[in-house]
Structures are given as structure tokens and as C-alpha cells.
Amino acid sequence: MTPPDPTAPPVLDVRGLSVRFRMREGRFVRAVTDARFTLHAGERLALVGESGCGKSVLASALLGLLPENAETAGEAVLNGSIDLLAASERTLARTVRGRQVGLVPQSPAAHLTPVRTIRAQLHETLRELRRTPRSGLREAAEEAAARVSFPVDHLDRYPHELSGGLAQRAATALALIGDAPLLLADEPTTGLDRDLVEHTVDELARHTGDSRALLMITHDLAAAERIADRIAVMYAGRIVEIVEATTFFGARGPRHPYSRGLLDALPERAFEPIGGMPPELGALPDGCAFAARCARASEECRVQPPFEGAVACHHVALEAGHA
């Protein structure tokens, strides 16, 4: 990958993004708290963490797809010009979605039109985003399908006639048509066997190239290792560490205890799951949310650790101070 141009604005600059949901009884559930990261053209960032940690909520916030009871704070600036959190629905629908941000959804069945064939949906997207003439639609649709190994003889089927894996590939093909500068892939390998996982992430990497950015949300660390330049680890709504992928998966490994726990749970590693359960997002502790599951927890952990040196952990900060 060509190093990012330091003079160019990032494709995505997320500053203090927070999301909370207002519940009927008057309480709030904090799903995302103070998320901060940047993505430059050519970069691929994998956001990882256990289910329910807020990864997909963050993705929905970037596209303006949160429910009405959601409240957002902070900024998420696209290409140095559009704050995705403040943009109107008109701007998001006509300027952002598909054109500047391509989405590979977590639940493709909810994004595919049930009463139209996959071919018809590809044709519509090609006309809308590429202005493909009618005479070229058939060939262009088959090329789009081939990019993600979607079988041509299934193009005239409806979404309900597809397996989960084929529906995922159809959604991926639609997301790639616009050649958007930012691709947001929310669990893009769900339901795929390992060969197709590798093919899908390789295609996402090829699409990124040196001119586009990729934010991939995943629980599949093998997929993250194959594609990502950097890893952002999320726990209980907070990003607790951002680290180079070579460091995360290398001999040195990540520094946050939760990040290390994710790696140790892999079959090819220690195969030791993290003990305990994540806290409820509606009842988060005042201090470090991981303390109840952490062998290194101490009195300092009663206070929320700052995000210093790209990791939020009192013990890591103390070790750095004594280095």
C-alpha cells in the first residue's frame, strides 16, 4: 500500500462519536462512547469485539440509519466536508449512501428487495450509480456478480431463494458498484465458508487499493488478519485499543488485557475464552468496563482510564511511565 498523503484530509475522521438510546422508562443505554479514529485513502481498519459491544451501532450512525430514539454526539467527517452525524436525510440519501459510502450490510436479507430478482437490483444500481446504458446492463451486472463469485445462473432468483452466503455475496456486489471512496463492511463474511471468506476479503482489499478506505466490522479475527492494516478493539461501547495489525497478530501482540483475551480465545492460540460476561450497556460501571473480567484489575480501575498511547488501560499507562 502507498503511504497516505499527510497533506490530504482523511476519508473519514471520527471525533468523539457517541450514541445513546432513549428508552421508554426514561433511562438511556450508551451503545457507543467517545469513539475516535481516522481513515485515509488506501487504509483498511478492522473494528473487532464481542457481539453487542456497539460495532454495528457505530456503523449505523455513520450512515444515518439509527432508530428514532437514538441520540448522537461528536463528529464523523467524510472527505473533509460532510459531517455524517449532522447531515440531513436528503444529503445522506442523495450524496452519501452508495456514492460516497458503500455498505456491505450485516443482514443482507433486510437490504435486498424481496420482490425483485438480484439481476433487477443490480441493473437498478448500475443505472443509478454508473449511468450504465440499457444495452450494457446485462454484461455489467454479470461482471459485478463475478467480482464476488456470485453464480450467474442465480441472478434471476429472488432473495428468498438464496442461501445466507449467496445473499451476502449479492449485497457485497451491490455495495461495490458505486466505487465509493469509503467502503463500510458490517460482518461481510457471515455465513461464508473459509474459501469464500478469503475470496470476499481479498475482493474488498482489491476494491480499496490506494484510493479508497475500508472500515470492516467483524468478529472474525482470521478475516481481520488477512485484510487489515490496523485493528481497533471495541468493548462495552468504547474503543479500548487501536494498533497496527502486524503488531496485534505478531509476537508482541496487543497491550490491552481484553485485546489479548480475544487472541487467546482462538483455537490456534491458547483456546481459552475470556471469563465472565460483558456488562449490560444500560448499566455500565463508572470505571473500566472490563475490570470485572480482568485478572489485572485494581483500585485504579474504578476510574475510567484515558485513551493514551492508543490504548485505554491504567496498567499499560503505568508500565509505559516506568519504561
Side-chain angles (χ1 to χ4, degrees):
M1 184 190 82
T2 303
D5 180 358
T7 65
V11 173
L12 181 65
D13 187 3
V14 175
R15 314 165 188 164
L17 190 159
S18 298
V19 180
R20 66 177 189 173
F21 294 103
R22 184 177 61 258
M23 311 310 288
R24 289 181 179 177
E25 58 270 29
R27 68 186 180 92
F28 288 91
V29 173
R30 291 177 287 163
V32 179
T33 302
D34 198 30
R36 299 173 182 270
F37 61 88
T38 59
L39 259 176
H40 286 83
E43 288 190 313
R44 300 186 289 268
L45 175 68
L47 182 61
V48 304
E50 292 169 294
S51 296
C53 71
K55 304 187 301 296
S56 292
V57 172
L58 188 153
S60 295
L62 294 177
L63 287 168
L65 297 176
L66 293 169
E68 291 185 357
N69 67 325
E71 298 179 1
T72 62
E75 296 179 313
V77 180
L78 182 69
N79 293 322
S81 60
I82 301 175
D83 182 357
L84 298 174
L85 302 186
S88 67
E89 173 57 27
R90 179 185 178 90
T91 297
L92 292 170
R94 295 194 174 188
T95 305
V96 175
R97 298 184 194 125
R99 292 173 173 82
Q100 296 196 50
V101 182
L103 173 65
V104 180
Q106 181 178 18
S107 302
H111 287 256
L112 297 172
T113 304
V115 296
R116 303 189 69 192
T117 66
I118 302 304
R119 186 188 299 277
Q121 294 180 63
L122 288 170
H123 284 188
E124 179 183 26
T125 305
L126 286 161
R127 286 194 300 265
E128 179 69 20
L129 299 184
R130 289 191 185 176
R131 299 290 187 264
T132 303
R134 183 178 297 274
S135 61
L137 285 175
R138 184 177 186 86
E139 181 181 359
E142 293 181 359
E143 288 178 354
R147 291 178 72 178
V148 295
S149 292
F150 186 94
V152 173
D153 59 0
H154 283 50
L155 282 174
D156 294 311
R157 295 189 180 186
Y158 293 89
H160 73 272
E161 297 178 301
L162 304 177
S163 66
L166 282 178
Q168 187 70 59
R169 278 183 270 171
T172 302
L174 289 165
L176 296 181
I177 283 175
D179 288 325
L182 174 63
L183 187 64
L184 201 165
D186 189 2
E187 300 286 2
T189 60
T190 298
L192 305 182
D193 61 35
R194 184 48 51 185
D195 287 343
L196 280 174
V197 165
E198 293 178 356
H199 178 89
T200 298
V201 297
D202 288 349
E203 181 57 40
L204 294 177
R206 192 192 69 78
H207 169 81
T208 305
D210 291 331
S211 60
R212 302 180 182 89
L214 170 69
L215 174 59
M216 186 172 79
I217 293 167
T218 185
H219 65 273
D220 187 340
L221 290 182
E225 182 176 14
R226 188 175 181 89
I227 194 173
D229 303 305
R230 289 183 295 148
I231 305 293
V233 181
M234 199 168 197
Y235 184 77
R238 288 183 181 271
I239 293 178
V240 297
E241 184 168 11
I242 298 179
V243 61
E244 295 292 320
T246 52
T247 298
F248 186 92
F249 293 105
R252 178 181 173 185
R255 294 184 292 168
H256 196 282
Y258 175 64
S259 305
R260 290 185 175 275
L262 288 178
L263 276 180
D264 287 343
L266 295 175
E268 62 269 26
R269 304 257 179 170
F271 207 19
E272 295 178 359
I274 302 171
M277 295 292 292
E280 293 289 337
L281 293 178
L284 294 174
D286 292 331
C288 174
F290 188 61
R293 306 172 72 187
C294 181
R296 304 183 67 185
S298 62
E299 285 298 314
E300 288 90 344
C301 303
R302 293 180 179 273
V303 177
Q304 179 63 44
F307 194 78
E308 295 181 350
V311 61
C313 177
H314 289 297
H315 300 286
V316 170
L318 288 170
E319 290 169 359
H322 291 127

